[in-house]
Amino acid sequence: MNKKSNASYLTRRNFLGRTACSTMALTGIVDTIANLKLMQSSLAQGGGGSDYKALIVLFLFGGNDSNNSLIPRMGHPEYANYKNYRGVLGILDENDPDYVTGNASSIALNGTSDPYGVHPNLGPVAQMFNDDELSFVSNVGSLSWPVTRSEYLDPNKAHLLPPQLYSHSDQQIQWQSSIPDQPFQTGWGGRSADDLLSHQNGSVSLSISLAGINSLQVGASTTQYAVTTNGAIPLAGYGTNYSAALDANGDYLTNDNGKRLKAFDDVNALVHQHLLEQGYNHVVKRARDNEGVISDAVNAADSTTIDTAFQGVPTNNGLANQLKMIAKLISGRGELDNGRQIFFCSAGGYDTHQDQLTAHGTLMQSLGEALSAFNTAMKNTANHDKVLLISHSDFTRTLTPNGTDPTTAGSDHGWGGHQIVMGGPVDGGKVFGTFPQLLVNDGIDAGTTRGRWIPSTSVDQYSAVAANWLGVSNVNTIFPNLYRFDDPLGTSSLVNYIA
């Protein structure tokens, strides 16, 4: 097998600067152009300037019972239905004659035409809503076509429905693809990143995940890049930040670790004639390149300000830890040098079939703390107007409980639910969309006994607003089923949550 040397783009900027000429001398013209682009982005200062935009998609895996996240209060047309059907899972208005003193009550939201509240553990969310920094979009779900209750119940109209309703895995993928009536190929985040490739000036992908490989960021041209809450995933066995193999200047140490790392990088510097070998080599080399860039971005971030914003949040709050790293990558974005960035993060445990009042309360506490800390970090690092966060979840859950004992009862798989949108670009302090009639076996109940809401807003409409803000060239290309629904960006839209 014939191989030739191909100098590696390593992880330190000063190494790049010293080896630029030799790198180009040892590669062909195609590799030279590629390395020039990488060197330009890594040596650049102040990248990701005033036009920078970052979208964070937060997926609540398991199906958040948003019936108890956004709650009608007394005076709301649906409060009586909520109280009647929610049963032992109900969170009553403290002014209700049946309210029991000492029980948790919903926290009132200000400025809405109909009175709403949020879960008693979502105090930080209520504060952000009342400060016009956060809004809700009501009754969002996966739809192939607009559908009525009569059509849902008609077996001859089954083709109008998304397949495998109420299935966790299917609904999770449908939310992330937005094309429920087609086999999965790409996610709407990946298609958006493909469209925005002209904004990728650095080596790191426009799609960064803090929650592992996901469906949302699968693209045709872009490859998602996964990092941890501590940053990029390094090679094992070389100490923290390669301190056992590299000196402060990024030069190899003369010890065994330094020699091993140099040998590894030398192997990666080889060009292989076999396409599969070269493809594998490219993946490893790209990971090493990106590892250094991510490390530089974290080091360039205003970590003191960000750490302060997250003070008081329990260290075991996994979502907060993910958002904290996202905050640092946004703050240090000059090292990434991308004009657009799509982040994916997640929290699990939302499949509350039992013990819901306790379990969901804990989840709401963690969610509120994480969102508030991230919002503060964005404001205090002057990035608030550049960042939009939107939530996703498999589905909401049934309005009616599955038991009569409040200590053990839960709820089961539903359909349309309420989502959170947050950040400087959001038209805050509002409830967008159409809040559902909370009627069982009537209205928009998809069934006869449980209260599963047929969505009034499709995932396509909801997500297209975010993609449009991000600057995609054509939302109808990103969301090919969007034409089936009312224009979410039109002047009469009920779901355009961008200010």
Side-chain angles (χ1 to χ4, degrees), residues 81-114:
N81 289 327
Y82 172 85
K83 177 181 175 182
N84 181 38
Y85 292 114
R86 188 92 268 222
V88 296
L89 300 181
I91 299 174
L92 300 185
D93 188 320
E94 69 275 11
N95 300 307
D96 190 313
D98 294 326
Y99 169 75
V100 177
T101 302
N103 284 357
S105 61
S106 61
I107 302 174
L109 300 179
N110 298 336
T112 57
S113 56
D114 291 323

Side-chain angles (χ1 to χ4, degrees), residues 3 20-21 26 35 62 91 137 150 163 193 215 243 255 257 281 311 391 393 407 420 432 448 470 492:
K3 300 176 182 178
C21 293
L26 291 169
N35 277 300
I91 299 174
V137 183
S150 61
S215 298
S243 58
N255 60 14
N257 285 325
N281 185 73
Q311 277 184 352
S391 70
S393 193
T407 64
I420 289 173
F432 290 91
T448 59
L470 203 56
S492 60

Side-chain angles (χ1 to χ4, degrees), residues 223-247:
T223 302
Q224 56 190 294
Y225 182 66
V227 302
T228 72
T229 54
N230 294 316
I233 303 172
L235 295 172
Y238 298 102
T240 303
N241 294 326
Y242 296 96
S243 58
L246 299 173
D247 63 19

Side-chain angles (χ1 to χ4, degrees), residues 436-456:
Q437 282 186 293
L438 304 184
L439 294 173
V440 174
N441 197 24
D442 201 353
I444 58 170
D445 183 11
T448 59
T449 61
R450 300 303 307 277
R452 294 181 169 101
W453 316 129
I454 298 171
S456 53

Side-chain angles (χ1 to χ4, degrees), residues 174-354:
Q174 289 174 26
W175 263 88
Q176 294 175 74
S177 74
S178 86
I179 313 175
D181 55 352
Q182 298 293 328
F184 177 80
Q185 291 183 314
T186 57
W188 72 260
R191 296 193 297 275
S192 296
D194 289 343
D195 183 86
L196 295 166
L197 270 177
S198 63
H199 292 275
Q200 182 175 336
N201 302 310
S203 64
V204 176
S205 172
L206 297 185
S207 297
I208 296 178
S209 173
L210 272 290
I213 301 303
N214 58 82
S215 298
L216 182 124
Q217 292 179 315
V218 174
S221 303
T222 54
T223 302
Q224 56 190 294
Y225 182 66
V227 302
T228 72
T229 54
N230 294 316
I233 303 172
L235 295 172
Y238 298 102
T240 303
N241 294 326
Y242 296 96
S243 58
L246 299 173
D247 63 19
N249 296 318
D251 295 320
Y252 300 106
L253 297 176
T254 57
N255 60 14
D256 287 345
N257 285 325
K259 292 175 182 177
R260 282 197 302 122
L261 183 60
K262 184 178 186 304
F264 180 86
D265 289 332
D266 286 344
V267 170
N268 283 334
L270 298 174
V271 173
H272 301 257
Q273 288 186 344
H274 194 290
L275 291 178
L276 290 178
E277 289 181 346
Q278 184 62 20
Y280 175 81
N281 185 73
H282 176 70
V283 171
V284 175
K285 183 175 181 295
R286 182 177 60 196
R288 288 282 284 132
D289 294 344
N290 289 344
E291 180 190 342
V293 177
I294 292 292
S295 177
D296 288 341
V298 173
N299 291 334
D302 186 355
S303 293
T304 300
T305 298
I306 294 170
D307 290 343
T308 299
F310 282 84
Q311 277 184 352
V313 179
T315 56
N316 64 351
N317 187 324
L319 175 59
N321 294 335
Q322 293 175 55
L323 289 173
K324 185 177 181 179
M325 178 51 63
I326 290 174
K328 290 184 177 181
L329 293 175
I330 291 172
S331 176
R333 64 184 179 275
E335 303 297 327
L336 303 180
D337 201 29
N338 291 335
R340 297 290 184 273
Q341 204 74 61
I342 302 172
F343 294 97
F344 183 86
C345 59
S346 72
Y350 281 85
D351 194 19
T352 51
H353 287 286
Q354 59 188 15

Side-chain angles (χ1 to χ4, degrees), residues 67 130 138 146 156 188 228 236 268 294 394 419 436 463 479:
N67 292 307
N130 294 337
S138 57
N156 295 319
W188 72 260
T228 72
N268 283 334
I294 292 292
D394 319 18
Q419 302 300 329
S463 303
F479 303 94

